[in-house]
Amino acid sequence: MLEALFELIGEFLLQIVGEFLIELGFHSFAEPFRREPNPWLAGLGYALFGAILGGLSLLAFPRNFVPEAWRIANLIATPLVVGACMALIGKWRARRGDAVLRIDRFAYGYLFALALAAIRFLFAA
């Protein structure tokens, strides 16, 4: 049971760290491109980035961290928690006066994490 808890935490950490790294990349590349894109296309882009990162994570971690009995719960809960974490990061950035990107909002963070989790759910051993 304790091993399942550690694996669940490992899956969450993989997603939040991956999303944080992608966010860092967006913040560094965002400055020259200040125009706001179409929100639907931005959502699709974040889902695609999440799916790509999910596929890349399979190369490094081909085995699923979460036991079989917890995989569906992980697919539902982890993106919700990651989306909430991204929203908190967005609020923190806004209070500091930093630039807030779309991924710093719940919906876009959720889409990114859901796509990553779905790829790992479908293809991890």
Side-chain angles (χ1 to χ4, degrees), residues 3-4 8 13 15 23-24 27 31 33 37 52 78 89-90 99-101 107 123-124:
E3 180 181 351
L8 189 60
L13 288 175
Q15 290 183 26
E23 180 189 17
L24 273 174
H27 276 286
E31 196 59 36
F33 309 102
I52 290 168
T78 300
I89 290 170
V100 178
L101 295 178
F123 299 109

Side-chain angles (χ1 to χ4, degrees), residues 86-109:
M86 294 310 296
L88 289 173
I89 290 170
K91 287 182 182 188
W92 176 72
R93 287 185 184 279
R95 276 196 312 263
R96 291 185 49 194
D98 293 342
V100 178
L101 295 178
R102 288 181 189 271
I103 200 165
D104 294 330
R105 297 182 181 112
F106 174 83
Y108 294 109

Side-chain angles (χ1 to χ4, degrees), residues 6 8 10 12 18 33-34 47-48 50 54 58-59 66 68-70 78 81 85 95 97 99 101 106 117:
F6 283 126
L8 189 60
F12 169 77
F33 309 102
R34 283 301 212 183
L48 288 173
L58 290 171
L59 297 173
V66 179
E68 190 69 31
W70 289 79
T78 300
V81 173
C85 288
R95 276 196 312 263
L101 295 178
F106 174 83

